[in-house]
Structure formats: structure tokens, C-alpha cells
Amino acid sequence: FIMPLRKEKNFRGLVNSMKILGVDYGDKRMGIAISDEIGLLAHPLTTIADRNLNMLLDVIKENQIEAVVVGKPLNMNGTYSSKTREVLNFINELKKIVNIPVYEWDERLSTKEAERLLIGFDLSRKKRKGILDKSSARIILQGYLDSIRIKQNV
């Protein structure tokens, strides 16, 4: 299910989109990423400790988010795990309390990819741990944004 971009032109002639939040729902924390104004790039934003839903709602309000994409962890063969079901429960709870669309996105290997990128930046294990969740959220959101542009030939 792909959300369409708005077809309004901004002052540079680029297609505007809505601000979208990416969420990597981890075991202890939520990594958060945000799209730029035109829906081209995802940027790591923050990490929410203890998967605090109220803090997530604050981020949504403060940044005037119009949609949320949550990474759905599937097994490599596409089947559901207990973690998948936990994330789907979180998505259902989120949908009940926000008045914006909440989408699922296949997040297979997003944490591994983020970890590989951070190792490439020669960051210590401690520093990587501090930014891994929001970097994974950025990868999830970027995949979603790229899929929109591919489907719409933007």
C-alpha cells in the first residue's frame, strides 16, 4: 500500500509531499527518522527510550507529521515472527490514537545495513549503539520514500 505524493509545486518547481515519520520499533527503544519537505530524503531524528508512545505523539505533533511508516520485521522468508506480531500490535495501537495514516514497511536487514554503514564511519561500538536505532529508522523511511518516487516516476 503506497501513499501518493501531493502534486503541488513549491517555489523551486519541485513536487511537495507530506512530512513523514519513520519508526524502527526495537526491543528497548524506537528509532525515529523524518522526511524532508519534498519527500526526497529521510534524516535520522531521535531515539525514544522505553518505546514511550507519548513521546512519539509529541514528535508527531511538534514536527507536523502527516503520515507514519513503521518498519515491520519479517523473517528472511517473509513469514511472521513473535517480533512481527509485537510490532503489528504497536501499529494497531498507534492507529487508534493518531488521525494520520500509519503504514507498514518491510524492514528486513535495515538494522544490519545501518550497522554496516556506521562501522564504515569508524564509530566506536558505544557511539554506534547511540545512533543505530534512528539510523535504522532512516533506512526504513528512505526505502518507503524511494518506492513512492519509483511508482510515480517522480
Side-chain angles (χ1 to χ4, degrees):
F1 185 111
I2 301 296
M3 175 181 52
L5 291 172
R6 291 187 194 150
K7 295 292 185 180
E8 302 166 5
K9 301 276 182 170
N10 67 13
F11 68 94
R12 293 186 187 115
L14 299 171
V15 176
N16 280 332
S17 69
M18 51 181 65
K19 282 177 99 175
I20 303 172
L21 203 69
V23 178
D24 180 33
Y25 189 82
D27 291 329
K28 297 178 182 176
R29 296 170 295 278
M30 283 187 280
I32 308 296
I34 190 169
S35 70
D36 60 10
E37 293 289 331
I38 60 171
L40 186 63
L41 296 174
H43 305 280
L45 183 64
T46 190
T47 300
I48 297 176
D50 301 322
R51 303 183 305 192
N52 185 314
L53 198 53
N54 288 326
M55 289 179 74
L56 178 60
L57 295 175
D58 289 343
V59 170
I60 290 170
K61 290 174 189 169
E62 289 168 10
N63 292 282
Q64 299 174 345
I65 299 301
E66 298 174 73
V68 178
V69 176
V70 180
K72 181 170 68 172
L74 299 170
N75 293 321
M76 289 308 294
N77 64 2
T79 60
Y80 284 20
S81 65
S82 60
K83 183 65 179 178
T84 309
R85 287 183 277 285
E86 182 183 345
V87 170
L88 290 174
N89 287 337
F90 164 74
I91 290 170
N92 288 332
E93 289 303 309
L94 185 59
K95 285 179 178 180
K96 290 176 187 175
I97 59 175
V98 296
N99 292 321
I100 57 175
V102 179
Y103 300 103
E104 303 167 8
W105 187 254
D106 182 350
E107 72 161 36
R108 280 180 275 190
L109 299 178
S110 63
T111 301
K112 294 285 185 201
E113 183 179 342
E115 206 165 51
R116 192 178 69 244
L117 288 170
L118 294 174
I119 289 170
F121 287 127
D122 200 28
L123 296 172
S124 69
R125 188 177 302 266
K126 185 176 182 180
K127 286 183 180 177
R128 283 195 312 262
K129 184 179 177 187
I131 59 176
L132 182 61
D133 296 307
K134 61 185 174 183
S135 296
S136 296
R138 188 206 64 80
I139 290 168
I140 291 165
L141 181 55
Q142 190 64 56
Y144 180 79
L145 296 172
D146 291 346
S147 74
I148 292 172
R149 282 196 315 284
I150 289 168
K151 291 213 183 303
Q152 296 183 346
N153 295 320
V154 175

